[in-house]
Amino acid sequence: SFVNEFSTKFGVFDTVAEAEDNLFNLRMRSEERFTTFIVRFEKEAYETGWNYNALRYALRRALPQRIKDVL
């Protein structure tokens, strides 16, 4: 698409929107350690500027069921 091509040549057009999209699609991988995952999560979370409640929802959404069961 035009946006992808533009971003490839000139950098990201909207870094907040990209971070929001990345955070929305972020999932902890089954073989991944939580500490590794949370670094990825926090990188995107910082860019969004979302409040605590929105980030908490996004984090729970990104976690595998095995971790949610413990919470």
Side-chain angles (χ1 to χ4, degrees):
S1 78
F2 172 77
V3 173
N4 289 339
E5 186 69 24
F6 184 86
S7 295
T8 300
K9 295 199 183 309
F10 302 105
V12 176
F13 178 69
D14 187 346
T15 57
V16 173
E18 181 185 45
E20 289 174 341
D21 188 52
N22 290 343
L23 199 57
F24 182 77
N25 293 306
L26 186 67
R27 298 291 180 275
M28 183 175 165
R29 297 183 288 265
S30 61
E31 75 285 349
E32 187 174 27
R33 291 183 173 269
F34 181 78
T35 52
T36 305
F37 165 74
I38 201 67
V39 169
R40 292 191 306 125
F41 180 87
E42 288 180 348
K43 176 185 174 288
E44 301 299 342
Y46 177 78
E47 293 292 325
T48 66
W50 288 358
N51 67 29
Y52 175 78
N53 288 332
L55 291 173
R56 185 178 61 182
Y57 173 79
L59 178 60
R60 285 190 65 91
R61 189 173 181 277
L63 294 174
Q65 191 61 45
R66 64 185 166 83
I67 293 179
K68 287 188 229 180
D69 290 343
V70 176
L71 300 176

